[in-house]
Amino acid sequence: MRSLGKYFIFMRSLITRRETFRTYIKLITQECINVGYNSLFIVGIVSVFMGAVTTIQTAFNLVSPFIPDYVISLVVRDMAILELSPTIIAIIFAGKVGSSIAGELGTMRITEQIDALEVMGINSSSYLVLPKVVACVIMYPMLVILSIFLILLGGYLAGTITGILSSVDYLYGIRYEFIEFNITFAVIKALVFSFLISSISSYKGFFTTGGSLEVGQASTSAVTNSCIAVLLADYALAQLLMG
Amino acid sequence: MIKIKNISKSFKGKQVLFDISGTLLKGKNNLIIGSSGTGKSVLLKNIVGLITPDQGDVKYNERSFIHGSEQDRKQIRREIGMLFQGGALFDSKNIEENVKFPLDILTDFSEEEKIDRVNFCLERVGLVNINKKMPSEISGGMKKRVGIARAIVNKPNYLFCDEPNSGLDPQTGIKIDNLIKEITSEYLITTVIVTHDMNSVIEMGDHIMFLLQGKKLWEGSNEEITKSDLKELNDFVFATQLMKQIYLR
Ligand SMILES: Nc1ncnc2c1ncn2[C@@H]1O[C@H](COP(=O)(O)OP(=O)(O)OP(=O)(O)O)[C@@H](O)[C@H]1O
Ligand SMILES: [Mg+2]
């Protein structure tokens, strides 16, 4: 409970006593490359394979002459948009970006780089953390959208190459009774998750004390806590927006 | 000149500093000495504003740093340069960007003026042609020197150093000490150095504060320090055989 309070105070410190707008633009651009561009590869690989596996497994579970083939790709589509892309990729994002944020800030803390910023009169939390949070919130929804496409692509490849369903059926299925709101829902989830992951990881890293051992621990606990927060938020959002 | 007035600080109920007062002189090397864990670093952090004391005040030329206006604090911060124990260089920036950083945020010089100043400072600490290297590519002694360059780049009136020569071989340590000494008298800076190196104390201690378990027990010059009859101070000063041989014949 105390750390929750400290977390909120930390969040407030991000938006008080800021640097100039120009400074932030530069920092945010840099962070966008770090968190977005550098995550493309892992997100891409995971998405394509998730698409392929989901398609094959769904087909395997739907062996009935009464269910038309296009239902397979329809299921894949809805799973991708509602859960696989925003949530599962969030877990991977937490592992990659969350741990690196916590590690970087933790190292800066124990090597007194954060103190050095403070002595120069910079609001170190805002200077270091705000660009990371903003960059994550900008980039993660884009990664999610990309991931949805790649899952559908992976599913298409797996489906057609193994002959589970025809390309016509697949394309019919992914367009069948498409609900636009689901995309909005995915983006909302992405915004919330990326904020949680980046802010929790920053918090964990920023308040590291001790040595390199503690930096490792901060990294680990950043990932664990982010994942738990993401799953809780996932549940809450599902209740709120779907129920 | 910096005046420290009745500073006390405790962490989670454990008192670390007890009512410390003292004066740090302009153009001099002011040393804070004492054995490990007595609160030297905590005192230094109180002076530069990284930690807020529970009680007391720090005055920079009569301007209060703890209770003063935000405007005053900001101005004082501009006049402070600090060398951290490990250099505290920013890992993600190269040497030139590291040294230039205070200029980027505190001044509105043109890029050219900044680079000139950076090169001047790097040359001053004896480092040339390493502008584009990253901190991870240079040695510990070089990091300290880059740290000094960064600390003096914005022409500070006050220079703070936490154990400037710890973790260095004696020769490099002495070079760093001499560098700080020269810079201090050259630019009339109020320099404050935390150390437990007796060699530095004898070589450069214009004005010395001796701390023991969070209390200031003694204040004086390096000439007086070997002649004091304070037992705790003698125990600290003459801990090594070498010091005994030189001064206690
Ligand atoms: N942030 C903190 N929270 C709690 N206790 C602290 C904190 N910083 C320092 N202390 C405690 O204050 C005491 C003095 O520490 P300090 O770092 O000032 O020692 P020091 O004199 O600089 O020693 P050294 O020569 O080893 O650097 C120690 O007992 C330390 O445990
Ligand atoms: Mg110390």
Side-chain angles (χ1 to χ4, degrees), chain B:
Chain B
M1 193 168 73
I2 302 172
K3 278 201 178 121
I4 305 166
K5 290 193 168 161
N6 309 94
I7 291 226
S8 297
K9 179 72 193 176
S10 39
F11 292 109
K12 299 188 192 100
K14 179 175 159 269
Q15 191 153 3
V16 176
L17 296 179
F18 297 83
D19 198 34
I20 293 187
S21 299
T23 307
L24 305 165
L25 307 171
K26 184 177 159 113
K28 305 278 185 210
N29 295 294
N30 301 275
L31 269 51
I32 300 174
I33 62 169
S35 48
S36 199
T38 49
K40 303 182 298 290
S41 299
V42 173
L43 178 60
L44 195 70
K45 284 183 180 166
N46 272 293
I47 300 175
V48 298
L50 285 173
I51 298 178
T52 315
D54 301 335
Q55 266 168 42
D57 199 358
V58 179
K59 291 204 161 164
Y60 286 77
N61 273 346
E62 302 306 319
R63 292 166 301 174
S64 166
F65 191 40
I66 312 288
H67 306 292
S69 64
E70 186 60 30
Q71 208 61 33
D72 273 356
R73 291 165 66 89
K74 218 171 178 173
Q75 182 52 39
I76 293 171
R77 281 223 161 84
R78 283 171 191 273
E79 300 171 17
I80 290 180
M82 183 153 179
L83 169 65
F84 287 86
Q85 205 159 338
L89 304 181
F90 304 119
D91 295 324
S92 55
K93 298 187 190 316
N94 68 26
I95 302 305
E96 182 176 286
E97 289 162 344
N98 258 290
V99 179
K100 189 160 74 70
F101 189 75
L103 299 178
D104 288 337
I105 54 163
L106 297 173
T107 70
D108 36 23
F109 294 167
S110 73
E111 197 60 22
E112 207 174 308
E113 287 171 316
K114 288 182 198 165
I115 298 289
D116 275 354
R117 178 76 191 146
V118 167
N119 286 332
F120 174 81
C121 290
L122 281 173
E123 217 167 285
R124 185 69 194 76
V125 299
L127 295 171
V128 282
N129 293 330
I130 63 157
N131 288 34
K132 301 294 174 204
K133 286 219 163 87
M134 298 306 282
S136 56
E137 296 170 327
I138 62 176
S139 74
M142 285 161 100
K143 278 184 197 159
K144 288 249 162 103
R145 281 194 271 174
V146 175
I148 294 176
R150 185 177 69 184
I152 61 170
V153 76
N154 196 28
K155 302 187 179 164
N157 297 330
Y158 310 97
L159 177 64
F160 297 90
C161 310
D162 195 353
E163 313 209 359
N165 53 18
S166 70
L168 300 177
D169 63 274
Q171 267 183 320
T172 315
I174 288 168
K175 267 190 209 154
I176 301 272
D177 277 355
N178 286 338
L179 185 60
I180 294 174
K181 203 167 140 183
E182 284 165 29
I183 289 170
T184 301
S185 53
E186 202 172 313
Y187 304 111
L188 281 182
I189 301 175
T190 308
T191 299
V192 184
I193 302 164
V194 164
T195 184
H196 38 208
D197 181 30
M198 271 320 291
N199 184 59
S200 313
V201 173
I202 300 299
E203 286 292 326
M204 63 193 301
D206 298 325
H207 182 80
I208 303 160
M209 283 170 72
F210 173 64
L211 297 194
L212 186 70
Q213 286 164 7
K215 300 193 179 90
K216 189 191 83 178
L217 290 194
W218 187 86
E219 192 169 353
S221 74
N222 55 355
E223 279 147 24
E224 294 157 1
I225 198 166
T226 51
K227 296 175 189 128
S228 153
D229 8 289
L230 187 70
K231 182 176 178 304
E232 291 87 347
L233 182 60
N234 284 334
D235 286 348
F236 180 82
V237 172
F238 300 112
T240 63
Q241 283 301 325
L242 189 64
M243 285 298 293
K244 278 183 205 161
Q245 276 170 19
I246 298 172
Y247 292 98
L248 293 185
R249 263 197 281 227

Side-chain angles (χ1 to χ4, degrees), chain A residues 124-180:
Chain A
S124 56
S125 56
S126 165
Y127 181 84
L128 293 172
V129 175
L130 192 63
K132 293 191 198 304
V133 174
V134 172
C136 281
V137 173
I138 293 174
M139 295 313 282
Y140 185 62
M142 297 193 202
L143 287 174
V144 167
I145 299 291
L146 178 77
S147 153
I148 293 174
F149 278 108
L150 291 177
I151 289 180
L152 294 181
L153 177 71
Y156 178 82
L157 293 176
T160 51
I161 290 170
T162 56
I164 291 172
L165 76 175
S166 71
S167 120
V168 176
D169 277 343
Y170 190 90
L171 294 177
Y172 181 75
I174 59 173
R175 286 189 284 198
Y176 186 77
E177 287 194 351
F178 173 65
I179 306 168
E180 274 171 34

